[in-house]
Amino acid sequence: MLNRYLTYYKPAMQFVVFCGIASMCLFFGALMFEALATKATGLSLSEINEMKTVTRELARPLMLVNACAILLTLLVPALLFAYLAYPGATRYVGLAARPNTMWLVLGLLLMTAAIPFTGLLEEWCKHIPFFNASVASDEAYDKLALAMMQGTNWRDLLLNSLCISLIPALAEEIFFRGCLQQLLLNWFRSHKWLAILLVAILFSAFHMQWSGFVPRVFLGLILGLAYYYSGSIWISISMHALNNLLTIVLYFLFNRGILRTDWSTMPVSLPLGLTGAAGTGLLLYFLYRIRKPFPIYEVEKESEPALNS
């Protein structure tokens, strides 16, 4: 046990330690992913990237390996840092705060309202050369993602829901919102919006899909505000999982012939996108009005008031 937890020290030092732990886990996670992917498929990552199409049979083991890599790359460093930072690691990352039904419903409604405007942002970004500079890397990302969702039976749906929806939502939210946002809110106490925005930008950059950079920043802001207003990481995890799950279910229905049109090729209309933006704004305002004080956890400083909105 440490004589002093990390939250006793200045946030700048905490950030350096966090970056060191995250970088180490990212390095080993990348090595693990490449080694396991090669063993599972018999192909190197460069050979897989050069393939014009990726079959479902090849994508399935890659999906399982990717889920394991996400846990090592994101969940492990977040929990390790939380353990070193504060006596109650689950409290530090927001896992101990159980949401009530009202907050959960409002969070899911917020994500549902945000999805159309996210699609509209993606349409707009297609016309900006800067966000289409890395077309090759984006195509490789989309090619593998689509191959992972080509299943037509219920086992495929359950496996996709676990590996593409639940595990990424859990790991990414605990890492970015539960851990990094907690750290930056402590650092930028008088500029809390800046902390939430920085986490949203880093969250989007982590996915390395530049054509979707702006839409993911928007989603990151929504998730960060939902966590900040509710104080429970379970709200943002549920919202994140819903966003991922919706894509999985729509592809599943299309693959089974229930949906006649590939929804991913359909542009979002301007009225629908703006309606979604208006609904998102109204729901955020309502959450702001009923917000809870967000706790900043520090050892030996527990008598200080929580950071208010």
Side-chain angles (χ1 to χ4, degrees), residues 130-147:
F130 176 80
F131 294 112
N132 290 294
S134 303
V135 175
S137 61
D138 284 359
E139 287 180 350
Y141 179 96
D142 293 338
K143 176 178 63 179
L144 184 56
L146 289 174

Side-chain angles (χ1 to χ4, degrees), residues 3 26 168 175 184 209 252 259 271 296 305 309:
N3 292 328
L26 179 63
F175 181 91
L184 292 184
Q209 188 189 23
F252 177 75
L259 292 180
I296 296 297
S309 301

Side-chain angles (χ1 to χ4, degrees), residues 158-201:
L158 291 175
L159 187 61
N160 289 350
S161 299
L162 175 65
C163 296
I164 304 177
S165 176
L166 183 58
I167 289 178
L170 181 70
E172 291 177 17
E173 289 309 305
I174 292 176
F175 181 91
F176 287 103
R177 253 63 64 175
C179 197
L180 183 57
Q181 185 167 299
Q182 167 75 234
L183 194 163
L184 292 184
L185 283 171
N186 188 10
W187 197 352
F188 305 126
R189 284 178 177 247
S190 57
H191 303 283
K192 50 188 177 293
W193 282 91
L194 177 60
I196 296 172
L197 176 60
L198 285 174
V199 172
I201 292 172

Side-chain angles (χ1 to χ4, degrees), residues 109-118 218 222 273-287:
L109 286 175
L110 176 61
M111 178 54 68
T112 303
I115 287 174
F117 186 63
T118 304
F218 172 70
I222 298 300
L274 295 181
T275 300
T280 301
L282 289 173
L283 283 167
L284 281 175
Y285 177 72
F286 181 71
L287 293 180

Side-chain angles (χ1 to χ4, degrees), residues 29-195:
L31 290 180
M32 185 193 76
F33 178 78
E34 184 167 5
L36 291 180
T38 301
K39 184 175 181 179
T41 64
L43 300 171
S44 66
L45 292 182
S46 59
E47 290 175 323
I48 294 173
N49 289 332
E50 290 173 0
M51 298 174 65
K52 293 183 178 180
T53 58
V54 178
T55 64
R56 171 66 183 175
E57 289 70 24
L58 183 61
R60 183 179 291 124
L62 289 176
M63 180 172 60
L64 294 171
V65 171
N66 183 65
C68 295
I70 287 175
L71 292 175
L72 176 58
T73 303
L74 296 178
L75 187 61
V76 169
L79 294 180
L80 177 58
F81 178 84
Y83 173 77
L84 297 174
Y86 190 75
T90 56
R91 287 178 62 198
Y92 184 84
V93 297
L95 288 170
R98 296 182 179 180
N100 58 39
T101 303
M102 183 189 71
W103 273 98
L104 182 60
V105 171
L106 288 172
L108 295 179
L109 286 175
L110 176 61
M111 178 54 68
T112 303
I115 287 174
F117 186 63
T118 304
L120 186 60
L121 284 176
E122 193 166 355
E123 291 292 326
W124 287 346
C125 287
K126 291 179 181 178
H127 303 288
I128 302 177
F130 176 80
F131 294 112
N132 290 294
S134 303
V135 175
S137 61
D138 284 359
E139 287 180 350
Y141 179 96
D142 293 338
K143 176 178 63 179
L144 184 56
L146 289 174
M148 290 179 179
M149 293 185 285
Q150 290 305 308
T152 57
N153 59 57
W154 293 103
R155 183 190 302 175
D156 292 326
L157 178 60
L158 291 175
L159 187 61
N160 289 350
S161 299
L162 175 65
C163 296
I164 304 177
S165 176
L166 183 58
I167 289 178
L170 181 70
E172 291 177 17
E173 289 309 305
I174 292 176
F175 181 91
F176 287 103
R177 253 63 64 175
C179 197
L180 183 57
Q181 185 167 299
Q182 167 75 234
L183 194 163
L184 292 184
L185 283 171
N186 188 10
W187 197 352
F188 305 126
R189 284 178 177 247
S190 57
H191 303 283
K192 50 188 177 293
W193 282 91
L194 177 60

